[in-house]
Amino acid sequence: MDNIYIEYTFEVTPKEPTTEILIAELGALGFESFVENENGVVAYIQKDDWTADILESVFVLSSEEFSIQYEHKEIEQTNWNAEWEKNFNPIQVDDLVSIRAPFHENPNLQYDIVIEPKMSFGTGHHETTHMMVQHLINLDVTDKKVLDMGCGTGILAIFSEMKGAQPIDAIDIDAWCYENSLENVERNNCKHISVYEGEASLLEGKKYDVIIANINRNILLNDMQTYTNCLTEKGVLLLSGFYSEDIPVIDNEVSKCGLTLKDTIKRNNWVALQYQK
């Protein structure tokens, strides 16, 4: 007998970082699958774990900063892979990098990244991941020690290894992202990536030539000094996960840490910045 699920459809404004916060809060309540779309997110919880008042403790729903509309219904959900196949289309970055699921045809570009995204963030479709791939295309990371902080699916760590980086650490605070990154690292036959579940406290005493941090603005601001301390001299810091209007506050914090802005990529009001120590 198939499990019965309750499906919630959330329409979210602004979509980021609201959706990220909402998913984190729902995950803590027992919601186990999330499918992001252009309007927000669809979330699933098993009926056995659901109560009619389950959303009462979700802080983001009562915040005046965000507008969130939702509805829910009961469904029988039998095939999560089919759900991903419907929602995950292959993409290409600068005609050099393909990002696809195992069921997509290989377009035979220079780099081919195969990702089974499941519930993790980082399929390449989001503007921030796309721009980070563009930054890495232009960087020489051969034999460089790399950190992918907030790794999601592990896509940026995987691409770093494809470009010759080693060793590479991939870290995410989310248990599902940790498991998914391990799977994708193996799927892409990577040999030099170590995946960890945790946060910036894991970085104490570590040094990296390149740090990739595609996280939300507040976490970046909070952990900026830690990232700077971990950078080698002339090391590169790649930052994304925020809007164009956030550049002044991000740049002010990074400048205080002694880093210099080297490159900016913008895409649909999202931005990815490259700094050097």
Side-chain angles (χ1 to χ4, degrees), residues 250-266:
I250 293 286
D251 189 62
N252 180 61
E253 189 66 29
V254 181
S255 297
K256 285 194 297 186
C257 294
L259 276 64
T260 304
L261 181 63
K262 293 294 186 180
D263 194 15
T264 301
I265 300 176
K266 294 183 180 180

Side-chain angles (χ1 to χ4, degrees), residues 127-140:
E127 286 88 342
T128 58
T129 313
H130 191 285
M131 291 184 294
M132 288 299 222
V133 169
Q134 288 181 299
H135 272 305
L136 286 169
I137 286 173
N138 296 322
L139 274 180
D140 179 9

